[in-house]
Amino acid sequence: MTSTRDGLNPADMASAYEPSAVEEALYEWWESSGFFKPSGGRTPDSPPFCIIMPPPNLTGELHMGHALTTAIEDSLTRWHRMLGDDTLWQPGVDHAAIAVNAIIERDLAREGISRHDIGREAFLDRTWEFVRKSRSRIAVQHRRLGASADWSREAFTMDEDRELSVRTTFKHLFDDGLIYRAERLINWCVDCGSAISDIEVEYEDEPGAFWHVRYAIADAEGNPTGEDIIIATTRPETIPADTAVAVNPEDDRYRHLVGLRATVPTNGRLVPIVADAAVQIEGGSGALKVTPGHDPVDFEIGERHGLEIISIMNPDGTMNELSGRYQDMDRFEARKAVVKDLQEAGRLEKEEPYTHPVGHCQRSGTIVEPLISMQWWVDAKTLAVPSIEAVTSGRIKFVPERFERVYLHWMENIRDWCISRQIWWGHRIPVWYCDACEGVTVAIQTPTTCEHCGSAEIRQDEDTLDTWFSSGLWPHSTLGWPEQTPELAKFYPTQVMETGYDIIFFWVARMVMLSLYNMDGQVPFETVYLHGLVRAPDGQKMSKSKGNVVDPLTISEKFGTDALRFALLSGTSPGNDQRITDDRVEASRNLANKLWNASRFVLQMVEPGDDLTLPAPGTGAIEDRWILSRLDTVTEDIDRLMRAFELSEAVRQARDFFWDEFADWYIELSKVRVRAGDRTAIPVLVHTLDSILRLLHPFMPFVTEEIWQRLNAVRPDPDGAIALMVAAYPQPAASEALAQPGDTAARLVASNIATGASRPQPSRKDAEAERQLGAVQEFVRAIRNVRAEKRVDAGRWVECYIVGGDAEETARALAPSIEALARVRPLHVVASPADAPTEGVVTSVLAVGQVVLPMAGLFDLAAERERLQKQIAEAEAEVARQESKLANESFTSKAPEAVVAKERERLDTARGRLDGLRASLAEMG
């Protein structure tokens, strides 16, 4: 670990904060100093804290959603590191199988070739080249966002260690009968050329039609009965693959047809008419054409009735030889051809417009085609049982809690998971087929011979595994599993899984299932924190196709990384979306500048030889007691909010305390004392600023560290920390916790004391100081309000009387500060209203007393009276005009009601203004 940063003069600070001059150098110092690595904690008993970074896809660059993830996870990581926990933020990246495979295939297509032209090895060489470049870009971006992850441990879903974990899991699941190979109906993406899982299908409403088709009825021997049954379908191109007609057994219209046969109108094939409860009596025509090879519901009906399965479509979306005359047509071209043929044959009863949800591939956007295919499957139903128990027992908690029900509903209705993909980029399935004995070898290490007959004539399965299979192992594979590493023993289970709510099924559910299986029932994480989406300023989802994607690094370069992070954090709440705008980021940049300038002022006030020892609790100036009391309360609130994952409220409280209380009030109050030669405010200024920097550091790491380095040169950290990011985080006061042992804050503090998370200080909560200073604030605000209402020149000094009531003593003690803050002189602090003038004054009555300002001191009375009289005349004329217009019956009877109402509203406004002006004139006497 290097020493504290050299060359920083505490008093030598630029007039404005320049992020570009700070961020890169600070980050390099943090990383080279080893601050991102687990330290073992502040004491031998320090608990572990681990977050596993959701691995970004290697498809290009990070987007605003990644920036939000980084801001949240880095804030939690930095907070726990400052608490003294043994902290690990485990980074990594995902190979994004289908997405990256598609990028390389598109590149090849632009060259006029396909992956099959260059072969698997050359294709993978090109893919690895792309991945290395993309991975390097993403690493730079993460660092630019301030991510304090342990980069020495960065994992990749396709590296050797993760390959071992993938093969080990596959082998164990296969041996336990939880992975199997079967020919079943799958979701096929024509564009990706691969099977995809159910949750990779997104449904969008699309205009289409219901084609009502006549199927001729035949008896059991195939003789026509002269009767037709009308069937409605949205996919006439699949009619050549029909192998039955189904009706509901309770449908009186068709009960007599069960057991007979129907003629497929495109090819004359006779198929059975079966009774099945899956057919809706009220849906469509009440009869269903059954196409087991091209529809999931039909496939299940076919299994129940032992129907033939016919597949008439090729993997590229064209029709095959089983479709008859439609062979080689594109599926949508075939749809038109089938409809035309039905029409010409008199078999089309009618065509009815119909909008319905159609499944699309999440990656390519192509309409998904249900196809029969031989694939590898995971028995998800069996794995779901312990995954449900882990949540219902409370071992895994969701934030926000409502997503627990979403998770459980999906788990309770889960289907087996198709894990094989017909692409080349990804983990190749660890299965080898023997050409000699047709045996199947499943192995962790690549075999050279068949385990059944010993033949060397074996070939590996061509398919690869679903990306989510390897990322589903992330919580334990990144910590070294299947090896029993020290990191696995220390950091598993992890404490928090933080990710977007949109991948609760894709990723969270898979991690729970596979981790429980591999880790002997141990949950992968204790809490699932789900954040929302970052949307464009107009509320739309960001996408390249819409052209509304915001590059986080562009924002960072314009406003600074701290500003971007703070804007994202202040707008986030668990499970809810947010909109990001330049105005929000600019407001956060203003906060960084305000913090910089306030700190610059404090540091410039400190002189060599100043005693920086804080006064004892309950002693010292009232404003010192007030700010230290407020600091205690804010520290306690932020601790509670962080533990509840309410980060947006935590950052709001930290910001409001700094800006609204410390900068706007305490610094201004301190200026008056210091200028008068009273330097007792200096230690309180330094301590409070130090605490504010610590409170804000997890959210705004760069500006706080840069300032703290200068502050640490003035007052070295009591624990010897040389960087703010490893200094102790402020904790709730010890004495209050001990006084209220049943309180939540007390339990938290007791835990922190036991683990050495920080050094709790004696409580400085001071209700009397807060009450007294609150009264002074009310007096100052009341004076400022009168000045604003009367448009008193900002530089003008005005006479003022304060009737102090219970706050009289405090008002007298802080009279110089009140004078400076409210620009009043002379200031008279009196005990009773009788001691203040009552004529020609403006009086503001407050709960804590009164503020009385003689009007003669506010402005030139004669000039103000003349101004008011002129405005009253103008207002009277406006009222008269409006009254005349509304008295005109021709106008009120003929004009639209809305226009008349608007004129009445204008009259009311004019009358109100006139009353106000007359009152102001009367007030002057």
Side-chain angles (χ1 to χ4, degrees):
M1 183 178 292
T2 62
S3 61
T4 188
R5 294 177 72 218
D6 298 324
L8 291 177
N9 184 342
D12 182 20
M13 295 176 69
S15 58
Y17 175 58
E18 291 292 342
S20 59
V22 169
E23 293 178 355
E24 186 175 352
L26 259 184
Y27 193 92
E28 288 178 358
W29 177 64
W30 284 334
E31 187 172 10
S32 64
S33 298
F35 294 145
F36 299 164
K37 297 175 181 291
S39 64
R42 197 160 284 136
T43 73
D45 297 324
S46 295
F49 177 79
C50 181
I51 288 185
I52 306 291
M53 180 186 289
N57 290 341
L58 289 174
T59 49
E61 300 179 345
L62 300 183
H63 52 65
M64 198 59 80
H66 293 114
L68 175 60
T69 297
T70 300
I72 292 172
E73 294 185 11
D74 192 52
S75 295
L76 292 171
T77 299
R78 288 177 182 270
W79 178 56
H80 276 275
R81 188 183 288 120
M82 293 177 75
L83 288 178
D85 296 345
D86 192 7
T87 304
L88 170 63
W89 186 13
Q90 169 64 55
V93 286
D94 190 276
H95 64 284
I98 285 183
V100 169
N101 199 93
I103 289 172
I104 307 304
E105 293 223 52
R106 281 196 293 271
D107 288 346
L108 291 173
R110 281 192 283 269
E111 298 174 23
I113 54 177
S114 73
R115 59 176 161 137
H116 299 287
D117 295 324
I118 64 172
R120 188 169 198 142
E121 186 174 344
F123 179 85
L124 291 177
D125 286 342
R126 291 181 68 139
T127 308
W128 275 108
E129 182 182 354
F130 169 84
V131 162
R132 279 189 285 270
K133 291 178 182 176
S134 180
R135 189 172 176 181
S136 175
R137 262 195 317 272
I138 287 173
V140 169
Q141 288 177 305
H142 261 134
R143 286 170 167 82
R144 288 284 305 280
L145 292 170
S148 62
D150 184 357
W151 297 109
S152 68
R153 294 185 48 80
E154 185 180 29
F156 178 36
T157 49
M158 285 286 287
D159 63 28
E160 290 183 5
D161 290 341
R162 261 43 66 182
E163 182 177 29
L164 177 61
S165 67
V166 165
R167 286 191 171 192
T168 302
T169 302
F170 190 99
K171 169 69 171 168
H172 291 172
L173 287 168
F174 180 82
D175 290 346
D176 289 342
L178 297 173
I179 278 183
Y180 61 93
R181 192 172 187 236
E183 190 174 52
R184 300 178 62 175
L185 196 73
I186 50 93
N187 304 297
W188 183 264
C189 175
V190 170
D191 194 43
C192 297
S194 175
I196 59 175
S197 66
D198 289 343
I199 58 174
E200 291 172 296
V201 179
E202 294 182 343
Y203 288 87
E204 300 173 14
D205 283 345
E206 289 204 356
F210 255 140
W211 286 274
H212 294 256
V213 181
R214 289 184 172 276
Y215 284 62
I217 304 299
D219 60 22
E221 285 73 39
N223 302 309
T225 64
E227 187 178 0
D228 287 344
I229 186 170
I230 297 175
I231 297 174
T233 179
T234 60
R235 303 183 65 216
E237 70 276 14
T238 64
I239 288 176
D242 290 353
T243 58
V245 167
V247 298
N248 191 291
E250 304 301 320
D251 193 335
D252 292 336
R253 295 173 296 172
Y254 304 126
R255 191 176 295 166
H256 67 288
L257 298 179
V258 175
L260 301 183
R261 304 171 84 181
T263 304
V264 177
T266 57
N267 54 28
R269 184 172 60 252
L270 290 172
V271 298
I273 300 175
V274 300
D276 197 285
V279 181
Q280 296 180 3
I281 296 176
E282 303 301 326
S285 62
L288 185 73
K289 71 181 209 65
V290 183
T291 319
H294 294 281
D295 184 273
V297 173
D298 296 5
F299 180 81
E300 292 177 358
I301 293 174
E303 284 195 322
R304 286 193 290 273
H305 296 276
L307 300 176
E308 180 186 4
I309 298 175
I310 299 174
S311 183
I312 58 171
M313 211 169 289
N314 295 313
D316 63 357
T318 60
M319 310 299 281
N320 66 24
E321 69 281 1
L322 297 179
S323 68
R325 83 170 204 83
Y326 309 107
Q327 184 176 356
D328 297 330
M329 289 185 185
D330 173 79
R331 52 184 168 158
F332 300 116
E333 181 187 349
R335 175 180 295 179
K336 295 176 183 177
V338 169
V339 170
K340 182 172 181 288
D341 288 349
L342 291 171
Q343 203 164 23
E344 291 176 352
R347 295 280 100 191
L348 185 64
E349 178 72 8
K350 65 178 178 177
E351 181 178 327
E352 186 177 37
Y354 178 61
T355 297
H356 61 119
V358 177
H360 294 71
C361 173
Q362 184 204 41
R363 295 290 182 190
S364 68
T366 306
I367 292 178
V368 168
E369 196 64 49
L371 291 180
I372 290 292
S373 179
M374 182 67 76
Q375 301 287 341
W376 285 95
W377 304 81
V378 167
D379 180 357
K381 292 184 176 67
T382 299
L383 294 178
V385 174
S387 303
I388 291 170
E389 185 279 334
V391 172
T392 57
S393 67
R395 292 195 292 149
I396 297 177
K397 298 184 184 302
F398 281 83
V399 178
E401 193 175 333
R402 70 178 184 270
F403 282 101
E404 178 181 311
R405 185 62 253 167
V406 175
Y407 166 92
L408 290 174
H409 177 77
W410 188 75
M411 279 291 189
E412 288 161 358
N413 296 277
I414 199 168
R415 295 185 172 194
D416 283 0
W417 172 19
C418 176
I419 57 170
S420 46
R421 299 291 180 268
Q422 289 65 55
I423 57 176
W424 287 350
W425 173 242
H427 287 281
R428 196 165 173 181
I429 290 176
V431 173
W432 288 261
Y433 304 103
C434 180
D435 291 332
C437 72
E438 299 186 352
V440 174
T441 300
V442 178
I444 297 172
Q445 301 299 328
T446 302
T448 56
T449 59
C450 172
E451 68 177 13
H452 303 285
C453 71
S455 170
E457 295 181 37
I458 57 173
R459 51 188 169 79
Q460 189 174 359
D461 196 303
E462 293 288 328
D463 291 350
T464 53
L465 286 166
D466 180 7
T467 296
W468 299 103
F469 190 90
S470 52
S471 56
L473 308 175
W474 208 233
H476 51 286
S477 70
T478 53
L479 296 174
W481 187 90
E483 302 298 332
Q484 298 304 305
T485 63
E487 292 81 8
L488 187 66
K490 176 87 172 180
F491 292 108
Y492 188 94
T494 66
Q495 281 61 56
V496 182
M497 170 46 61
E498 192 282 332
T499 190
Y501 68 71
D502 54 330
I503 57 173
I504 187 173
F505 308 133
F506 287 107
W507 193 38
V508 175
R510 266 71 181 273
M511 284 189 288
V512 175
M513 288 193 295
L514 294 175
S515 296
L516 289 171
Y517 174 77
N518 280 337
M519 298 300 294
D520 298 323
Q522 273 191 298
V523 296
F525 26 73
E526 299 164 2
T527 301
V528 179
Y529 175 99
L530 298 168
H531 66 249
L533 304 178
V534 181
R535 296 186 177 274
D538 61 0
Q540 290 193 68
K541 190 173 181 178
M542 292 187 189
S543 70
K544 289 181 180 178
S545 61
K546 294 176 182 175
N548 62 354
V549 173
V550 178
D551 181 355
L553 293 194
T554 300
I555 300 294
S556 182
E557 287 168 5
K558 183 176 180 181
F559 297 104
T561 298
D562 288 325
L564 172 61
R565 287 170 59 121
F566 198 89
L568 289 168
L569 290 167
S570 62
T572 189
S573 61
N576 294 323
D577 296 349
Q578 64 168 299
R579 301 182 187 188
I580 191 70
T581 63
D582 276 5
D583 287 346
R584 279 182 50 205
V585 186
E586 187 173 2
S588 298
R589 180 184 63 184
N590 294 342
L591 171 62
N593 281 330
K594 181 81 169 179
L595 182 62
W596 180 265
N597 289 326
S599 302
R600 180 168 169 259
F601 173 78
V602 171
L603 288 167
Q604 288 174 346
M605 289 181 74
V606 181
E607 295 179 355
D610 277 336
D611 182 0
L612 299 182
T613 306
L614 285 178
T619 66
I622 195 74
E623 60 267 42
D624 295 345
R625 291 163 52 198
W626 166 75
I627 196 68
L628 293 173
S629 177
R630 290 293 305 129
L631 176 59
D632 258 21
T633 298
V634 168
T635 296
E636 185 179 297
D637 287 345
I638 290 175
D639 186 86
R640 171 180 53 80
L641 292 165
M642 290 296 285
R643 293 177 192 277
F645 299 98
E646 296 181 32
L647 273 68
S648 62
E649 182 61 16
V651 300
R652 186 192 68 78
Q653 293 226 17
R655 180 260 179 222
D656 289 355
F657 175 71
F658 159 68
W659 196 310
D660 299 344
E661 298 184 85
F662 180 68
D664 283 359
W665 286 99
Y666 186 72
I667 285 181
E668 296 305 315
L669 291 166
S670 299
K671 285 178 182 178
V672 178
R673 288 163 62 191
V674 174
R675 286 168 184 160
D678 177 4
R679 301 191 63 76
T680 57
I682 299 298
V684 179
L685 278 166
V686 170
H687 171 78
T688 308
L689 175 61
D690 177 78
S691 299
I692 288 169
L693 294 173
R694 293 171 192 251
L695 289 170
L696 282 170
H697 177 76
F699 321 121
M700 306 180 81
F702 291 106
V703 66
T704 53
E705 182 75 80
E706 185 70 7
I707 295 168
W708 190 86
Q709 287 296 316
R710 291 170 166 82
L711 184 64
N712 201 42
V714 171
R715 191 195 71 169
D717 180 72
D719 296 319
I722 63 170
L724 177 56
M725 70 170 291
V726 293
Y729 200 77
Q731 286 294 284
S735 61
E736 178 166 355
L738 297 176
Q740 304 176 50
D743 187 65
T744 300
R747 292 196 303 274
L748 297 177
V749 173
S751 170
N752 291 331
I753 293 171
T755 60
S758 67
R759 188 185 310 185
Q761 301 295 317
S763 175
R764 290 182 177 273
K765 285 200 176 176
D766 193 328
E768 180 61 18
E770 292 194 32
R771 188 182 69 81
Q772 293 285 349
L773 205 287
V776 170
Q777 289 175 312
E778 283 200 52
F779 291 141
V780 172
R781 290 191 188 105
I783 296 167
R784 288 173 173 172
N785 288 341
V786 171
R787 293 180 66 112
E789 288 169 7
K790 301 302 181 182
R791 292 193 296 278
V792 178
D793 185 75
R796 186 182 184 114
W797 291 89
V798 299
E799 185 178 12
C800 177
Y801 289 80
I802 287 179
V803 182
D806 291 342
E808 179 188 351
E809 184 179 342
T810 305
R812 289 187 188 279
L814 291 176
S817 296
I818 296 172
E819 288 180 350
L821 294 174
R823 202 97 177 143
V824 292
R825 188 185 297 157
L827 171 63
H828 313 280
V829 180
V830 299
S832 165
D835 299 324
T838 57
E839 298 294 330
V841 298
V842 178
T843 301
S844 184
V845 180
L846 311 169
V848 295
Q850 294 181 18
V851 167
V852 180
L853 289 91
M855 280 190 288
L858 300 180
F859 34 68
D860 183 318
L861 286 175
E864 179 65 8
R865 188 176 285 111
E866 183 180 346
R867 185 186 69 83
L868 286 172
Q869 288 171 339
K870 182 180 179 182
Q871 289 190 343
I872 286 170
E874 291 172 353
E876 287 173 339
E878 176 64 20
V879 168
R881 276 196 301 273
Q882 290 299 119
E883 287 177 339
S884 175
K885 180 181 285 188
L886 290 167
N888 185 344
E889 189 177 345
S890 176
F891 168 74
T892 55
S893 62
K894 294 179 180 178
E897 187 176 333
V899 172
V900 175
K902 188 71 175 175
E903 293 302 320
R904 289 198 175 100
E905 185 180 327
R906 285 176 179 167
L907 175 59
D908 290 341
T909 301
R911 284 172 173 167
R913 179 169 180 266
L914 178 59
D915 291 344
L917 290 167
R918 285 171 173 168
S920 295
L921 183 62
E923 194 177 55
M924 294 178 66

